[in-house]
Amino acid sequence: MTNIKEIAQFAGVSVSTVSRVLNNHPYVSPDKRESVLQAIDRLNYSRNINAIHLSKGKTNLLGIIIPFTNHPYYGAIVHGITKQANAIGCHIVIFETHYEREKEIQALNMLQMKQLDGIIVCSRISEMKVLLNYQTYGPIILCEDTAQAELSSISIDHYAAFSCALEYVIAKGYKKIGYSLGRKKSRNSFLRAKAFNDIMKKHQLINNPEWLFEGSYHIKDGVTLFQEWNSLQNKPEAIIITNDDTAAGFILTANKCGIKVPEDVAILGFNNDSLSELLDISTISLPLEWIGKMAVELFEKPEVIKHVKLDYTLIKRKSV
Amino acid sequence: MTNIKEIAQFAGVSVSTVSRVLNNHPYVSPDKRESVLQAIDRLNYSRNINAIHLSKGKTNLLGIIIPFTNHPYYGAIVHGITKQANAIGCHIVIFETHYEREKEIQALNMLQMKQLDGIIVCSRISEMKVLLNYQTYGPIILCEDTAQAELSSISIDHYAAFSCALEYVIAKGYKKIGYSLGRKKSRNSFLRAKAFNDIMKKHQLINNPEWLFEGSYHIKDGVTLFQEWNSLQNKPEAIIITNDDTAAGFILTANKCGIKVPEDVAILGFNNDSLSELLDISTISLPLEWIGKMAVELFEKPEVIKHVKLDYTLIKRKSV
DNA sequence: GTACCGTATGAAACCAGTTTCAGAGCAAGG
DNA sequence: CCTTGCTCTGAAACTGGTTTCATACGGTAC
């Protein structure tokens, strides 16, 4: 591999001059610039970016921590991140954790070791204090509703969004209402659960713990969810489901079993995926790509710690 | 930031010894090892991985070129790659190209600049000779059926898989058969088209160019596909659709319009996604995760150029 | 005439590690 | 007693860039 020294030698200049040409610095005479460019061409030179990274102390690499890649919710966020990151000359390294602590730490270690300039945490399993420990090594952006003063965050007001969903279902006359979550322990789930409890209490409706379902991520989980629902003696008449994929799984399975939505059970989803449109699922549309975009923008300004909240939209279709 | 020199000083040893401890080399006396470890702990030291990359000449970073992240077909491949890559201590950098040449070149340039140890190309737009130019900088693995002797590849026998699909549809008694593709120009599409032409000719069936549809990737494309099909005067009675997502979009839209599958039009998909199971779509199951796994294995052995082909399975359900 | 400034250039320090090489100490084998 | 070989250690070279600093040159202002 040819290096900058050989180029300098070939072109009859110093390495500083070659570096200046490579970085488009001014103060290089046209003829020297030309001879450097020729040398680069002749010797088929290409820069070793690791040396640049070492020297500059940054890599233009942005880590993303997500539980699943193959999921519309996170897919949309990642898409938003990627677009904005490309716009500022950054590349993306994806850490698919499946909520394994170890994987998350791996990503954080790469930040510590300076392989990453920053990290966007879309969903986490580690405690907040663990993240804070790594914060000295570079900006960490959270895609969750947090009051953590030390880390910037971008989130949807899940409390308000869920409340909106629930109020809509209640307004439609349903009284026996259940809901599903992803992981019970996540921040988003906490907020949704709180919203559920608050609103149900406000309307003096029964909050049956049997009607809280967990582990809803993918289409297949919708199949399971339906089976759980179907096996209940005392069934809720409406379910607010974490995401449209699971909702779709539920509805399609229900249809197979001759159970009608919304006649036998009403369903409200989240995310406004293309599937929900096709299946006429009422849903809460979340600006997921925007989350990604904003996360990158927060990363760009590490000196300002901000907490941004984004809005949601209720989309009324036929499943409620 | 503390560096290896400070550690050496603090521990009263040379940098070589520190390096040995860090890399678990033998030939370090227990007491020196201990004092180095203590120094590392006291000074809260962490290695700068960029220096390591520079020094070692590799990064343990593997690039993946894919058109879309948010797609079951590529999602499954990426998943397979990620799993296997993690097993060999590699991380993944995803390049979502949307079939833009520039993005592809970006990835290849990172290989050239030694930021990546290798690249797995899941689907490409650049000509083969472009790829070959970059091959000197590191292993490039193709996930496509190629005869290119210089690059390793892992692929499904799309010709055989499509033939199998078509023979099945024909055996079911359909004569007016159409099919959809992603990009006409891709290698996979070429093979599927060839299979279609060959088999149709063999059975002396009409090959109507109006019945070739393009641009089938996502659920939404299935909506469009249905509309195209529906607007035809002379409609095919069966369509073999590139992937289950598009097939699902087609079927769900058809159902909305009161058109029945398979009575009014038979559908056969590819990939055996969870959606196809729910919707009872007959499909060809492809070992996508295995493609990812094998691709990484081929990357590990750059000295051996191999062309691996994987098998497929016809899954009979109700849509044909 | 000289003080000052912008342009142009290269030497050398710097980023933070790994690796090679030479040599010291010590035990076993002949 | 001498050779051989293994364990341990550190100096120095090496990876390949960027950046600072000193300096030289030419033109302009006073």
Side-chain angles (χ1 to χ4, degrees), chain A residues 26-320:
Chain A
Y27 299 166
V28 180
S29 66
D31 53 331
K32 299 225 169 191
R33 164 164 278 124
E34 186 51 37
S35 64
V36 167
L37 290 174
Q38 272 189 21
I40 287 172
D41 194 48
R42 290 281 166 74
L43 302 182
N44 191 25
Y45 167 76
S46 54
R47 281 199 274 189
N48 183 323
I49 208 156
N50 294 313
I52 299 178
H53 290 339
L54 171 59
S55 202
K56 295 209 170 173
K58 62 175 218 167
T59 58
N60 293 325
L61 241 42
L62 191 50
I64 307 181
I65 294 182
I66 48 170
F68 318 107
T69 51
N70 211 351
H71 190 276
Y73 183 90
Y74 295 107
I77 295 182
V78 168
H79 193 237
I81 293 175
T82 307
K83 258 162 73 176
Q84 185 63 16
N86 283 346
I88 63 166
C90 266
H91 285 289
I92 294 304
V93 185
I94 292 183
F95 296 87
E96 187 179 15
T97 64
H98 296 279
Y99 288 123
E100 290 163 28
R101 248 190 199 76
E102 201 192 322
K103 292 270 173 64
E104 225 164 275
I105 299 298
Q106 255 183 34
L108 292 164
N109 281 337
M110 280 174 71
L111 179 66
Q112 181 176 10
M113 295 172 84
K114 291 174 163 295
Q115 188 162 13
L116 303 174
D117 287 352
I119 287 188
I120 295 174
V121 181
C122 296
S123 184
R124 70 191 160 88
I125 177 117
S126 302
E127 294 80 33
M128 195 60 95
K129 64 176 180 186
V130 175
L131 294 185
L132 289 175
N133 278 340
Y134 282 92
Q135 188 205 4
T136 46
Y137 303 113
I140 298 177
I141 312 296
L142 288 176
C143 295
E144 97 186 27
D145 186 343
T146 179
Q148 198 68 44
E150 292 95 331
L151 296 180
S152 278
S153 74
I154 166 80
S155 62
I156 289 153
D157 190 338
H158 280 286
Y159 184 93
F162 195 93
S163 302
C164 165
L166 184 51
E167 292 282 12
Y168 176 66
V169 172
I170 292 171
K172 281 281 186 170
Y174 295 96
K175 298 202 187 306
K176 296 168 69 177
I177 304 170
Y179 68 114
S180 89
L181 296 174
R183 291 179 310 147
K184 262 189 195 160
K185 286 172 299 181
S186 84
R187 176 76 185 163
N188 291 353
S189 295
F190 171 79
L191 291 168
R192 289 182 176 190
K194 189 166 182 332
F196 185 82
N197 295 334
D198 291 354
I199 305 288
M200 291 295 273
K201 186 177 276 176
K202 185 179 121 191
H203 289 272
Q204 299 182 321
L205 293 172
I206 296 163
N207 185 342
N208 186 340
E210 267 195 329
W211 299 344
L212 163 55
F213 306 90
E214 218 192 340
S216 302
Y217 304 102
H218 306 284
I219 291 186
K220 279 184 182 166
D221 300 321
V223 180
T224 317
L225 179 56
F226 172 77
Q227 285 155 354
E228 287 177 32
W229 174 83
N230 203 27
S231 68
L232 287 174
Q233 285 280 321
N234 181 17
K235 297 180 176 59
E237 301 158 347
I239 313 178
I240 299 175
I241 297 183
T242 350
N243 59 68
D244 289 338
D245 256 25
T246 308
F250 185 102
I251 292 175
L252 291 172
T253 314
N255 287 348
K256 274 192 185 179
C257 300
I259 285 175
K260 294 234 167 97
V261 175
E263 293 80 357
D264 301 322
V265 54
I267 296 294
L268 194 136
F270 280 89
N271 300 2
N272 192 25
D273 289 334
S274 32
L275 251 182
S276 70
E277 194 181 338
L278 271 178
L279 292 173
D280 280 323
I281 303 175
S282 297
T283 188
I284 305 276
S285 170
L286 305 175
L288 299 174
E289 274 202 31
W290 269 93
I291 287 193
K293 183 179 156 69
M294 292 298 299
V296 176
E297 284 178 6
L298 291 172
F299 157 75
E300 282 183 88
K301 294 187 196 138
E303 66 283 359
V304 191
I305 303 298
K306 257 209 251 180
H307 298 288
V308 181
K309 282 202 184 180
L310 296 179
D311 226 348
Y312 53 87
T313 321
L314 170 66
I315 296 179
K316 300 174 184 177
R317 289 199 270 246
K318 296 177 187 162
S319 69
V320 176

Side-chain angles (χ1 to χ4, degrees), chain B residues 245-259:
Chain B
D245 257 25
T246 308
F250 185 102
I251 291 176
L252 290 172
T253 315
N255 287 347
K256 276 192 184 178
C257 301
I259 285 176

Side-chain angles (χ1 to χ4, degrees), chain B residues 13-14 16-17 20 27-29 32 54-55:
Chain B
V13 299
S14 70
S16 328
T17 301
R20 284 192 192 100
Y27 300 166
V28 180
S29 66
K32 298 226 169 189
L54 169 59
S55 204

